[in-house]
Amino acid sequence: MDTGGQLLAVVLLLVSPVFILCGGAISHAQINPLLYDEQLLWVSGAQGEVDTYRIPLLTFTPKGSLLAFAEARKSSSSDVGAKFIALRRSTDKGTTWSPTSFIIDDGAQADGLNLGSVVVDEEVGSVILIYSLCFHHFQCQPSSTMMVESRNDGLSWSAPRNLSIQLGVQSFAPGPGFGIQKHLEPAKGRLVVCGHGTVEGDGVFCILSDDHGRNWYNGAALKSIPFNQRKRQQDFNPDECQPVEMPDGSIIINVRNQNNYHCRCRMVIRSRDGGESLPIEDLYFDYTLVDPAVAAGALLKDEVLFFTNPASEHDRINLTLRWSMTHGKSWENNVLQIWAGSSGYSCMTSLDSGSVEDQKFIFVIYEKGRVLYDETISFAKIHLYGGR
């Protein structure tokens, strides 16, 4: 009797998820996410000159750190008004975080800055943050698209650059979320940042850079109907969005359905040319992803597509993680409820050092409250295999 062989088989069976991960491939059947750790990064009304923290962004850095950003709204919770951009860094996979630093201060502008999209250029080792000024045209004209960059892991940032001389002065609100660097053809290496337009001239718009952020130009547009006219309920009005590069090199963009056109769910549009066009024939509505019209998170990790939003047709509650083994064509019936209460915007990222540890986790940042969703901004560490 080969007891040694039997013992080896038992050991391999018990630790099979680890062996599968070491091989660089995920066994889809093993995914069963668990909320592994959570901590508040910002609490509204609790710090000095800041009234409300909103619009959380989260990204990795080429050196393996995590950067969390938020709008620090100075005098109210309103989208208009003066703000800081707040930043916290973690160099230990989200276990501890630096104190808050304010990397941008718009002074006392009536219609100050709005976040924003963060994009990592892994080829040159930089992190680029794109944001807007005077987006709502509240006591100011025209809008500006702004950029700052860090080449030392988020420790310091360049002076702001105004990209409007390259892009024009149309109102463009990046994200909120992350932009992408294309890893595959077409347009390998290109930086793609997508966002939306003004209330009247809304829609999904992408800006592109083929030289590591030195120069930007306007790419794809999916315009609202009617365009440049006030919208009514159930008008076609694509809004805040999150792009993700797929294994075939195309880009899918998960989009806020602002006026509930066709459904109370998410729109999805695909670009097959590196963000240069968004053909209407590649637009569909994902009925599984019910949504109260909000900015949501999307992330592709090891060919599994993850999605976060307040999973409710009418209210910003029930922050939920879903995952798809079919690149968004269908979603698993099982879900992870991250927070049952008030919740708003969310963003996701992960680390990819090739280690088993990094393959186990994704990270979610989101607006969280007991009564109002803008009471805090929380960071959640999700173990993809922890629920087994």
Side-chain angles (χ1 to χ4, degrees):
M1 185 174 181
D2 185 8
T3 55
Q6 287 182 330
L7 179 60
L8 178 60
V10 170
V11 171
L12 287 175
L13 177 63
L14 289 175
V15 300
S16 60
V18 175
F19 273 78
I20 291 168
L21 285 168
C22 285
I26 282 183
S27 170
H28 293 171
Q30 300 294 339
I31 293 179
N32 193 8
L34 173 74
L35 180 56
Y36 182 84
D37 185 30
E38 183 164 8
Q39 54 188 300
L40 298 182
L41 295 187
W42 289 288
V43 178
S44 293
Q47 292 186 6
E49 299 179 52
V50 178
D51 179 273
T52 304
Y53 287 94
R54 281 215 59 203
I55 323 298
L57 308 184
L58 186 65
T59 190
F60 68 96
T61 74
K63 293 184 178 180
S65 298
L66 295 174
L67 303 181
F69 304 85
E71 283 184 15
R73 301 180 173 186
K74 296 180 182 180
S75 59
S76 75
S77 62
S78 174
D79 289 348
V80 300
K83 307 174 189 75
F84 303 103
I85 294 180
L87 168 67
R88 297 188 71 177
R89 298 175 66 250
S90 175
T91 58
D92 55 9
K93 305 179 190 295
T95 301
T96 61
W97 293 84
S98 70
T100 297
S101 59
F102 296 119
I103 61 172
I104 302 292
D105 180 357
D106 63 18
Q109 296 191 33
D111 187 8
L113 66 86
N114 286 109
L115 278 179
S117 189
V118 58
V119 57
V120 178
D121 189 328
E122 296 179 76
E123 293 183 3
V124 299
S126 71
V127 179
I128 293 171
L129 187 66
I130 308 288
Y131 62 98
S132 63
L133 286 175
C134 189
F135 173 76
H136 304 91
H137 295 167
F138 179 71
Q139 300 180 18
C140 60
Q141 287 275 7
S143 298
S144 295
T145 302
M146 308 294 294
M147 168 185 158
V148 292
E149 182 178 14
S150 174
R151 296 208 172 195
N152 60 357
D153 207 49
L155 288 170
S156 63
W157 296 81
S158 67
R161 282 177 53 202
N162 193 326
L163 303 180
S164 299
I165 191 170
Q166 297 174 356
L167 299 172
V169 295
Q170 71 274 17
S171 292
F172 172 70
F178 59 80
I180 62 173
Q181 181 173 47
K182 294 282 277 91
H183 290 99
L184 303 167
E185 297 293 351
K188 184 178 179 181
R190 174 178 290 169
L191 304 182
V192 181
V193 172
C194 300
H196 69 104
T198 62
V199 174
E200 293 85 0
D202 212 351
V204 171
F205 303 93
C206 299
I207 61 172
L208 314 174
S209 175
D210 294 320
D211 58 3
H212 307 291
R214 288 188 292 273
N215 293 283
W216 293 84
Y217 59 98
N218 291 300
L222 176 69
K223 294 182 178 179
S224 59
I225 302 171
F227 191 62
N228 279 334
Q229 185 175 334
R230 282 278 177 179
K231 304 299 185 294
R232 297 178 179 177
Q233 187 63 9
Q234 298 183 335
D235 279 348
F236 180 70
N237 196 12
D239 197 76
E240 294 166 325
C241 58
Q242 177 59 67
V244 177
E245 185 176 23
M246 304 308 289
D248 64 356
S250 68
I251 302 168
I252 64 165
I253 306 176
N254 195 291
V255 183
R256 172 175 173 165
N257 186 1
Q258 176 63 21
N259 286 55
N260 304 308
Y261 178 82
H262 191 67
C263 66
R264 292 183 178 272
C265 68
R266 305 292 294 185
M267 299 180 187
V268 181
I269 184 74
R270 184 185 298 266
S271 174
R272 302 179 188 274
D273 54 13
E276 296 178 21
S277 67
L278 292 171
I280 196 69
E281 57 266 27
D282 283 324
L283 171 74
Y284 69 93
F285 296 84
D286 195 323
Y287 302 119
T288 301
L289 304 183
V290 297
D291 190 71
V294 68
L299 176 72
L300 186 75
K301 182 177 178 67
D302 296 320
E303 297 206 15
V304 178
L305 183 63
F306 296 92
F307 176 80
T308 53
N309 79 328
S312 168
E313 289 190 356
H314 300 281
D315 301 305
R316 292 185 177 182
I317 58 172
N318 188 32
L319 201 284
T320 299
L321 173 72
R322 296 182 182 272
W323 56 98
S324 170
M325 313 301 187
T326 59
H327 302 155
K329 296 182 180 69
S330 63
W331 298 89
E332 296 298 292
N333 292 327
N334 192 22
V335 303
L336 174 65
Q337 184 184 70
I338 298 175
W339 177 247
S342 295
S343 46
Y345 288 24
S346 60
C347 183
M348 284 187 284
T349 197
S350 68
L351 297 171
D352 187 19
S353 67
S355 71
V356 172
E357 189 71 11
D358 283 351
Q359 287 181 295
K360 292 178 183 177
F361 292 99
I362 61 173
F363 309 101
V364 180
I365 192 170
Y366 71 102
E367 297 172 336
K368 175 181 183 179
R370 294 193 176 274
V371 179
L372 302 173
Y373 61 82
D374 61 4
E375 293 171 10
T376 71
I377 289 178
S378 187
F379 168 82
K381 187 173 183 177
I382 308 296
H383 194 312
L384 296 179
Y385 308 92
R388 295 194 61 79

